[in-house]
Amino acid sequence: NINFSFTDSKNQLWFGTPMGLKQWTGSGFKTFGISDSILNMYSIYEQKNGIFLIGISKGVYTFDGKDFKNFSENKLLKNTAVRTLLDDKKGNLWFGTDTGLIKYTDGKINHFTIKEGLNRNEVEIIAIDKFGNIWIATLSGLNMYDGKKMYKISEDEGLQSNIIFLMHIDKNNFLWVGTNKGLEQININAFVNDKKIDIKHYGKSEGFVGIECNDDAVMEDKEGNLWFGTIFGVTKYQSSERQEI
């Protein structure tokens, strides 16, 4: 099983697996991660200093290309599965975990759960738009956090399904959400500026024949085209179809 694939700033290819971190050397794979505590790897992020942050089944580790070190001794962060992670323009780290959304700033932790408005505590994917808003995908719908308030977008607000498998913000600032019932394209500008929920659905009749998306199976190429992996193959979306105004 491959939990993630990642190309770093040196164009090296990495894979996260239940048996550790694997690096493709050009002729074979080199495996890192021998201790049972750092085997199952869910997510990876490269910091500006070249050090990786790796989310595992119990916490976060740093990796310098040779050795793993525990990132934080905080009990909350140390004892939860970290499925997704990234940083914002202010240098804050955000972790999507099995116990909620965690904001990490210079050792200080802010914890967001259903009590703070999350649809569900188990966070699958997070993304940050050009305004700095945090988008949070769960298997119970979508949330957006603007730094002050947590907003909810689910089937009640127009999603075809709450079960989200992938999420991506494209170069035109549209949010793409892939579910078990197709794709949703959400106009971020309309939501941020007017709190208007503008959702365009793509299903079989719109050409998205795969319908059910695979976990994190999305990429945007140099031309801005989007590629989505589904249980029935790959679908390409031409970027010229809908532009942000």
Side-chain angles (χ1 to χ4, degrees):
N1 293 331
I2 305 296
N3 292 330
F4 65 77
S5 60
F6 175 75
T7 303
D8 66 20
S9 59
K10 298 178 181 178
N11 210 34
Q12 298 179 107
L13 190 58
W14 301 84
F15 298 90
T17 78
M19 297 305 294
L21 183 66
K22 294 182 180 291
Q23 178 192 27
W24 175 248
T25 64
S27 58
F29 287 100
K30 187 175 182 180
T31 302
F32 301 87
I34 299 173
S35 168
D36 290 342
S37 65
I38 54 175
L39 278 180
N40 201 357
M41 300 181 180
Y42 294 133
S43 53
I44 189 170
Y45 179 78
E46 184 179 8
Q47 301 177 97
K48 293 178 181 179
N49 60 7
I51 302 297
F52 296 135
L53 288 174
I54 299 176
I56 65 167
S57 51
K58 285 190 177 182
V60 180
Y61 277 76
T62 61
F63 179 66
D64 62 3
K66 295 181 180 180
D67 300 311
F68 292 94
K69 292 183 179 179
N70 190 23
F71 173 73
S72 174
E73 291 298 327
N74 181 277
K75 291 182 179 180
L76 175 63
L77 191 56
K78 193 175 181 180
N79 294 310
T80 186
V82 177
R83 298 190 176 278
T84 178
L85 49 87
L86 46 74
D87 68 351
D88 61 25
K89 292 181 180 179
K90 297 179 181 179
N92 302 304
L93 293 170
W94 296 86
F95 302 101
T97 79
D98 281 358
T99 59
L101 178 69
I102 293 175
K103 178 185 177 183
Y104 183 94
T105 308
D106 297 326
K108 181 182 177 181
I109 282 181
N110 289 331
H111 190 206
F112 304 85
T113 67
I114 55 175
K115 292 181 179 179
E116 287 71 38
L118 280 183
N119 289 323
R120 185 185 180 110
N121 284 338
E122 295 84 4
V123 175
E124 301 296 325
I125 317 165
I126 50 177
I128 300 179
D129 65 29
K130 69 178 184 181
F131 303 109
N133 301 306
I134 310 298
W135 294 85
I136 307 121
T138 75
L139 296 181
S140 296
L142 185 67
N143 289 103
M144 189 273 269
Y145 179 64
D146 65 2
K148 296 180 180 179
K149 184 177 179 180
M150 189 76 71
Y151 295 90
K152 173 185 175 183
I153 301 177
S154 65
E155 292 177 12
D156 293 337
E157 288 74 37
L159 291 182
Q160 293 295 309
S161 173
N162 287 334
I163 301 174
I164 300 174
F165 294 133
L166 64 82
M167 185 168 64
H168 175 74
I169 299 174
D170 68 20
K171 67 176 185 178
N172 297 312
N173 209 38
F174 283 102
L175 177 70
W176 293 86
V177 175
T179 74
N180 62 327
K181 294 184 179 180
L183 276 175
E184 316 286 355
Q185 185 196 54
I186 299 173
N187 188 326
I188 292 177
N189 280 13
F191 188 78
V192 171
N193 295 329
D194 304 315
K195 294 302 177 284
K196 178 184 176 182
I197 300 177
D198 177 12
I199 302 176
K200 184 175 181 179
H201 176 71
Y202 293 86
K204 194 171 184 178
S205 61
E206 291 79 22
F208 194 70
V209 295
I211 303 298
E212 183 172 327
C213 297
N214 285 327
D215 288 341
D216 294 327
V218 55
M219 67 159 289
E220 186 170 0
D221 64 27
K222 294 180 180 179
E223 287 73 39
N225 301 307
L226 297 171
W227 299 78
F228 299 96
T230 75
I231 60 173
F232 293 113
V234 178
T235 298
K236 177 183 177 183
Y237 175 83
Q238 297 288 140
S239 62
S240 60
E241 183 171 331
R242 190 183 187 193
Q243 300 291 326
E244 179 62 285
I245 299 175

